[in-house]
């Protein structure tokens, strides 16, 4: 016992978390998503705005490993020719005569690896004149896989940054309101209620309308992040305030006061960290809200603007019944949103069980 | 005189009227006068809710007093600002009742101590010096020195209370306020902690303001006893005098209940007059009249 390393409560919770297989699978999936968003420009065969109108709504392509005679050829894609069937519907037909080898580390669109190393090498790509659309192409013939990878950058990071802003705000306001009480508390809480009163989506639209239209894509991205975080913080601030009211009566807080620690230090070191087990769960469960919020804004055309890709504005192409009917693969970004949201929720729930064992046993009754 | 309280008053609002004005107050501490000499332990006893904890918290300025003066070593600190209080904070420290909540569960013992040391900037500049001082204090409270890396949840109540005492001692206080510091411990551990407190008093020249409802413990540790009832001190005298010759009806009742486990029939309700004051009945035995 004595030579065993002492574990803090968070470390114990983490050990329990690791035992939950579903949650670990979710962590793994999210890890892949975030990793591929980070290296999107290397992993994707094309740049997000590389288009070829001849491949408009090209369906997902097959990779052929053997030729018609059954001889191994290595991975190849065939050229696609556009034809019309008897109903005058556009269909793409594989053209056996045009064969393009698919290779690893192909030179393609230039990009800056991790933002500063100029490179042209992509993980995989097609040689020659051919095009490679593993998940199909959109209306302008842009590769959907590449756009999903690039879109992940925006959709996934918006959750993290949004949560970071709104939680900093919520923790600060809630902590201060609860700790000081009285008039400060009253003022801050009424202020929060102003935000909570307005239905979230209308507040989002109202704030968006306050943003100039002539923003470039980075500015719009930042505006969307700020708008989304303005909606989420108030609810959290109220809960943190409640916790902080009860925490400030704990004797270690009183002891810190008697020792002469400043109020700010006490809030930072002895109050807010104790709301951590709640906040971590709340953070995990609220990240999907930001991803969905961005998707909603982009879907109705107020968020990220074409040609910049986000999962939300990729989906906005799937607004009509006709494109969905003839090119169902444009719904794929929705699958990614769905998976991400599910994963965050599962992780959040598991974390709650691990951080607060009493809650779990109560739930089992 | 180490500490002097003059006419200290603290009322908490209990009920508010429709317009938010306060209708009724709880008189937690009602015009209390008290003197504490260096080295002469004073106990404050009384039932729950009599205001003894509030009085302790007023002294360390966890709450501001409504009126009156707190004079520490000749200086009136009642209306000192946060910055002005700084030199006094280290001289008056407090140990709390519940050993399970008086140490932050997220901090190792090392960080608990370090936090207090950081407040005295420059005094322990290097980690080695900090460690040396921590080990000295742990030795003083009779705990092994290798516990610094551990978390509070790994200790028993008695051990935690020793750690809390060590933390209070880091700043070299002159006055240590022990707010029910042994009340939640079992009898054997209580005895050890009392013995420890007596040893520490000799070693560090401490003065204790001991707040308790446990008269058996009070008898061992204090030179004088103040009996508190409904926010007022009703009797104040040397420990022996209070125990052998209680004067005030409430003291008699308290002693009978606490020492003899004998219920005392209250013949008449004890009423404290609005302007009643402590009066010396001879030989420093003060009784409210």
């Amino acid at each position: 016992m004595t030579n065993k390393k002492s574990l803090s409560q968070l470390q114990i919770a983490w050990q329990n978390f690791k035992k939950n297989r579903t949650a670990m699978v979710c962590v793994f999936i999210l890890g892949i998503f975030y990793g591929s968003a980070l290296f999107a420009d290397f992993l994707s065969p094309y740049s997000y705005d590389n288009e070829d109108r001849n491949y408009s709504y090209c369906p997902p392509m097959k990779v052929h490993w053997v030729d018609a005679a059954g001889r191994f050829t290595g991975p190849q894609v065939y050229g696609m020719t556009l034809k019309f069937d008897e109903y005058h519907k556009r269909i793409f037909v594989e053209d056996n005569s045009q064969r393009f080898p698919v290779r690893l580390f192909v030179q393609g669109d230039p990009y800056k690896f991790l933002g500063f190393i100029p490179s042209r090498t992509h993980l995989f790509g097609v040689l020659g004149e051919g095009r490679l659309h593993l998940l199909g192409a959109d209306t302008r013939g842009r590769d959907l896989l590449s756009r999903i990878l690039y879109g992940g950058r925006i959709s996934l990071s918006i959750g993290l940054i949004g949560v970071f802003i709104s939680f900093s705000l919520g923790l600060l306001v809630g902590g201060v309101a609860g700790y000081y009480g009285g008039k400060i508390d009253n003022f801050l809480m009424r202020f929060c209620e102003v935000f909570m009163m307005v239905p979230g989506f209308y507040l989002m639209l109202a704030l968006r309308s306050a943003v100039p239209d002539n923003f470039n894509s980075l500015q719009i991205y930042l505006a969307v992040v700020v708008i989304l975080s303005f909606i989420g913080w108030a609810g959290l601030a109220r809960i943190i305030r409640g916790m902080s009211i009860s925490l400030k009566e704990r004797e270690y807080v009183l002891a810190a006061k008697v020792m002469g620690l400043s109020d700010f230090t006490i809030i930072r070191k002895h109050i807010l960290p104790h709301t951590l087990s709640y906040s971590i769960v709340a953070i995990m469960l609220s990240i999907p809200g930001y991803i969905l919020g961005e998707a909603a804004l982009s879907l109705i055309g107020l968020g990220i603007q074409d040609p910049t890709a986000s999962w939300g504005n990729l989906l906005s192409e799937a607004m009509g019944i006709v494109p969905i009917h003839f090119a169902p693969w444009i719904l794929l970004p929705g699958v990614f949103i769905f998976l991400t949201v599910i994963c965050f929720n599962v992780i959040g729930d598991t974390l709650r069980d691990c951080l607060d064992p009493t809650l779990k046993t109560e739930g089992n009754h | 005189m180490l500490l002097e309280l003059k006419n200290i008053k603290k009322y908490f609002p209990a009920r508010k009227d429709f317009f938010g004005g306060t209708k009724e107050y709880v008189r937690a501490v009602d015009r209390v006068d008290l003197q504490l000499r260096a080295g002469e332990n004073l106990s404050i006893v009384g039932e729950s809710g009599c205001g003894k904890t509030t009085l302790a918290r007023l002294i360390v300025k966890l709450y501001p007093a409504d009126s009156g003066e707190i004079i520490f070593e000749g200086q009136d600190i009642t209306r000192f600002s946060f910055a002005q209080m700084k030199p006094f904070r280290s001289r008056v420290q407090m140990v709390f009742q519940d050993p399970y909540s008086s140490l932050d569960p997220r901090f190792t013992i090392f960080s608990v101590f370090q936090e207090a040391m950081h407040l005295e900037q420059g005094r322990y500049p290097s980690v080695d010096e900090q460690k040396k001082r921590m080990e000295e204090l742990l030795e003083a409270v009779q705990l092994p020195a290798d516990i610094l890396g551990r978390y509070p949840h790994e200790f028993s109540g008695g051990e935690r209370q020793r750690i809390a005492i060590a933390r209070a001692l880091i700043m070299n206080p002159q006055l240590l306020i022990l707010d029910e510091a042994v009340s939640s411990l079992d009898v054997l551990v209580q005895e050890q902690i009392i013995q420890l407190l007596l040893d520490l008093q000799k070693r560090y020249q401490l003065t204790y303001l001991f707040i308790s409802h446990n008269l058996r413990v009070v008898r061992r540790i204090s030179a004088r006893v103040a009996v508190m009832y409904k926010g007022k001190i009703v009797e104040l005298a040397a420990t022996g005098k209070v125990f052998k010759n209680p004067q005030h009806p409430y003291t008699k009742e308290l002693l009978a209940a606490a020492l003899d486990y004998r219920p005392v029939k209250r013949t008449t309700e004890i009423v404290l007059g609005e302007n009643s004051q402590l009066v010396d009945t001879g030989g420093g035995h003060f009784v409210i009249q």
Side-chain angles (χ1 to χ4, degrees):
Chain A
M1 185 63 203
T2 42
N3 53 8
K4 214 173 94 183
K5 203 185 165 304
S6 297
L7 296 174
S8 74
Q9 287 171 335
L10 272 184
Q11 287 167 317
I12 294 168
W14 170 239
Q15 289 199 335
N16 287 333
F17 183 85
K18 279 195 286 192
K19 286 183 200 144
N20 187 315
R21 205 166 289 168
T22 326
M24 284 314 280
V25 167
C26 289
V27 169
F28 185 69
I29 293 175
L30 283 184
I32 290 178
F33 281 8
Y34 276 92
S36 52
L38 187 62
F39 300 113
D41 34 24
F42 170 67
L43 295 175
S44 61
Y46 296 103
S47 158
Y48 63 92
D49 55 359
N50 183 326
E51 60 181 64
D52 183 344
R53 298 281 170 111
N54 292 327
Y55 284 82
S56 172
Y57 286 132
C58 169
M61 286 180 176
K62 235 187 215 158
V63 177
H64 299 268
W65 293 83
V66 291
D67 63 10
R71 282 189 302 265
F72 180 77
T73 55
Q76 283 185 330
V77 288
Y78 296 157
M80 292 293 224
T81 31
L82 187 59
K83 287 195 173 144
F84 294 90
D85 64 7
E86 66 262 42
Y87 308 111
H88 298 284
K89 181 184 153 192
R90 287 157 39 109
I91 47 163
F92 279 92
V93 180
E94 283 188 332
D95 179 1
N96 261 350
S97 60
Q98 288 180 291
R99 295 180 181 183
F100 307 106
V102 176
R103 292 288 176 267
L104 289 176
F105 306 112
V106 172
Q107 299 297 305
D109 295 322
Y111 63 90
K112 285 197 171 116
F113 186 67
L114 296 175
F116 59 92
I117 307 165
S119 166
R120 297 182 71 94
T121 311
H122 293 256
L123 178 64
F124 63 95
V126 68
L127 298 177
E129 295 295 295
R131 281 184 72 86
L132 178 67
H133 297 303
L134 290 178
L135 296 180
D138 66 2
T139 170
R140 288 163 66 177
R142 294 176 295 198
D143 181 39
L144 195 58
L145 173 66
S146 306
R147 284 180 67 76
I148 287 175
L149 286 168
Y150 274 98
R153 283 188 163 176
I154 286 180
S155 292
L156 292 170
S157 65
I158 252 176
L160 295 188
I161 301 174
V163 135
F164 178 77
I165 297 176
S166 74
F167 270 72
S168 318
L169 217 59
L171 284 173
L172 188 73
V173 171
V176 166
Y179 183 79
Y180 287 104
K183 280 187 183 132
I184 298 176
D185 178 29
N186 217 337
F187 172 77
L188 288 173
M189 285 305 108
R190 298 301 85 76
F191 185 66
C192 286
E193 275 155 19
V194 170
F195 280 90
M196 294 173 75
M197 251 170 12
V198 188
F201 199 72
Y202 292 100
L203 183 60
M204 201 154 85
L205 293 183
L207 287 169
R208 179 62 181 88
S209 69
V211 174
D213 321 331
N214 56 353
F215 271 13
N216 66 31
S217 58
L218 178 71
Q219 284 168 320
I220 288 178
Y221 171 76
L222 292 175
V224 169
V225 173
V226 171
I227 288 167
L228 291 174
S229 23
F230 254 98
I231 294 161
W233 69 273
L236 180 84
R238 285 193 68 96
I239 294 165
I240 297 296
R241 167 200 172 251
M243 298 176 88
S244 138
I245 285 177
S246 87
L247 286 166
K248 74 172 177 185
E249 293 300 323
R250 298 269 176 95
E251 287 180 348
Y252 53 75
V253 175
L254 297 178
K257 273 194 199 173
V258 172
M259 286 194 300
L261 259 71
S262 69
D263 289 344
F264 178 73
T265 316
I266 293 176
I267 293 177
R268 189 171 53 84
K269 285 177 79 177
H270 293 292
I271 300 228
L272 292 184
H274 289 271
T275 65
L276 199 68
S277 59
Y278 170 80
S279 327
I280 289 179
V281 175
I283 283 173
M284 282 298 163
L285 294 179
S286 71
I287 288 177
Y290 293 91
I291 294 173
L292 293 173
E294 181 274 322
L297 269 185
S298 300
L299 186 75
I300 56 175
L302 294 173
I304 308 301
Q305 303 292 319
D306 210 60
T308 311
S310 83
W311 291 349
N313 85 4
L314 289 180
L315 266 188
S316 70
E317 280 200 40
M319 288 257 269
I321 190 71
V322 179
I324 295 179
H325 183 71
F326 290 111
W329 52 89
I330 58 173
L331 282 173
L332 273 171
V335 175
F336 285 84
I337 295 179
F338 173 77
L339 273 176
T340 312
V341 170
I342 288 278
C343 285
F344 272 115
N345 280 328
V346 169
I347 293 172
D349 278 341
T350 314
L351 273 176
R352 173 166 48 209
D353 293 346
C354 294
L355 288 168
D356 196 349
T358 51
L359 212 66
K360 194 180 181 185
T361 46
E362 276 165 19
N364 286 345
H365 283 177
Chain B
M1 202 65 69
L2 185 65
L3 177 76
E4 214 174 336
L5 304 181
K6 283 187 184 165
N7 212 17
I8 287 287
K9 202 167 95 174
K10 180 74 187 175
Y11 291 180
F12 290 111
R15 269 178 56 195
K16 295 205 167 168
D17 62 19
F18 184 72
F19 300 103
T22 310
K23 227 175 168 183
E24 261 178 50
Y25 291 95
V26 174
R27 298 181 171 194
V29 174
D30 197 7
R31 276 172 285 166
V32 164
D33 291 286
L34 208 60
Q35 277 112 39
L36 185 57
R37 272 181 286 275
E40 193 191 58
N41 296 345
L42 173 72
S43 286
I44 300 176
V45 299
E47 63 195 18
S48 311
C50 71
K52 49 192 197 302
T53 293
T54 308
L55 185 64
R57 292 184 179 183
L58 285 173
I59 296 170
V60 292
K61 296 195 65 175
L62 279 175
Y63 313 130
D66 288 347
S67 70
E69 288 164 30
I70 301 164
I71 297 162
F72 189 80
E73 290 193 316
Q75 260 183 298
D76 182 358
I77 60 167
T78 327
R79 293 184 218 307
F80 268 18
S81 68
F82 184 80
Q84 283 174 307
M85 274 305 288
K86 209 155 191 193
F88 293 94
R89 296 271 181 206
S90 61
R91 284 148 84 179
V92 187
Q93 280 296 305
M94 193 158 174
V95 177
F96 292 88
Q97 173 173 11
D98 180 9
Y100 290 90
S101 91
S102 65
L103 300 170
D104 191 328
R106 291 182 49 263
F107 279 51
T108 59
I109 307 308
F110 180 80
S111 4
V112 167
F113 287 170
Q114 203 179 31
E115 187 178 59
M117 286 181 175
H118 279 319
L119 287 168
E120 296 189 85
Q121 279 147 1
R123 191 146 173 204
Y124 306 103
S126 70
V127 177
D128 280 344
E129 276 172 81
Q130 289 176 0
K131 271 214 162 123
K132 210 178 130 217
R133 172 86 173 124
M134 288 178 198
E135 277 161 16
E136 178 205 325
L137 283 164
L138 286 176
E139 183 264 316
V141 297
Q142 295 156 19
L143 283 173
D146 60 356
I147 62 162
L148 284 172
R150 296 223 236 147
Y151 287 93
H153 65 87
E154 299 173 65
F155 296 98
S156 69
E159 286 170 324
R160 287 187 201 205
Q161 208 58 306
R162 285 167 195 265
I163 294 165
I165 292 169
R167 172 179 60 182
L169 291 177
I170 283 176
M171 305 177 104
N172 290 311
Q174 286 155 288
L175 175 61
L176 198 58
I177 299 175
L178 301 148
D179 183 7
E180 304 271 15
V182 297
S183 305
S184 62
L185 306 172
D186 71 60
V187 190
L188 287 174
V189 180
Q190 250 180 26
E191 179 55 37
Q192 292 167 6
I193 299 281
I194 299 275
Q195 195 52 52
L196 175 71
L197 286 171
L198 292 172
D199 293 345
L200 290 173
Q201 176 159 38
K202 274 186 216 139
R203 184 163 168 177
Y204 293 111
Q205 286 85 47
L206 297 164
T207 307
Y208 295 135
L209 179 62
F210 198 83
I211 288 162
S212 183
H213 58 263
N214 187 334
L215 295 178
R216 206 179 46 79
V217 173
V218 164
R219 201 180 205 168
R220 285 213 48 198
I221 206 164
S222 50
R224 290 197 305 155
V225 176
V227 182
M228 226 173 149
Y229 179 65
K230 287 190 175 167
K232 284 180 189 283
I233 289 179
V234 294
E235 188 161 354
L236 172 67
T239 311
K241 282 182 183 165
V242 171
F243 278 83
K244 285 206 188 80
N245 185 19
Q247 298 284 315
H248 194 269
Y250 177 71
T251 316
K252 288 177 188 167
E253 203 176 292
L254 193 69
L255 286 173
L259 298 179
D260 309 337
Y261 302 103
R262 180 164 53 83
V264 176
K265 259 258 170 74
R266 206 175 260 185
T267 45
T268 50
E269 188 64 26
I270 301 166
V271 182
L272 300 174
E274 191 65 24
N275 293 313
S276 49
Q277 279 184 325
L278 281 177
V279 176
D280 194 345
T281 58
H285 195 142
F286 292 88
V287 181
I288 201 161
Q289 265 161 10

